[in-house]
Amino acid sequence: MKEFTYAITDPEGIHARPAGLLVKEAKRFASKITVAKGTKAGDLKKIFAVMGLGVKHGETIRIQVEGPDEETAAPAIEDFLKAHL
């Protein structure tokens, strides 16, 4: 399992447009990808789970990747977050 944290730098937090793109990016991989904020967690491949976390600017999320392509998926998701959020 791969895990990392990321602090959201987008002034609007995780809002609809980048959340949709993030879900689309996660769906490229076979691994199970979980996003968590505090005690709440959800499937990164489901838009309602991502939006339901209500992540705001400056908050930190934790990403866990587990599966056959975790070695590729984790850095790809981290790169996406750095580029878009």
Side-chain angles (χ1 to χ4, degrees):
M1 177 175 62
K2 298 287 180 188
E3 182 175 311
F4 65 91
T5 58
Y6 181 76
I8 301 301
T9 57
D10 188 305
E12 296 178 26
I14 298 182
H15 52 98
R17 187 187 55 76
L21 295 173
L22 180 58
V23 168
K24 187 175 180 181
E25 178 72 10
K27 286 182 177 182
R28 292 181 37 224
F29 302 99
S31 294
K32 178 182 177 190
I33 306 173
T34 305
V35 58
K37 180 186 97 169
T39 58
K40 291 179 169 182
D43 185 345
L44 191 60
K45 297 179 181 180
K46 298 187 186 296
I47 188 73
F48 290 115
V50 176
M51 294 300 294
L53 294 175
V55 182
K56 307 231 181 306
H57 172 77
E59 293 182 326
T60 300
I61 57 171
R62 185 177 69 253
I63 304 289
Q64 293 179 329
V65 184
E66 187 171 8
D69 55 1
E70 65 187 34
E71 295 292 333
T72 318
I77 297 297
E78 189 168 16
D79 289 345
F80 179 90
L81 290 168
K82 289 177 182 174
H84 300 281
L85 288 165

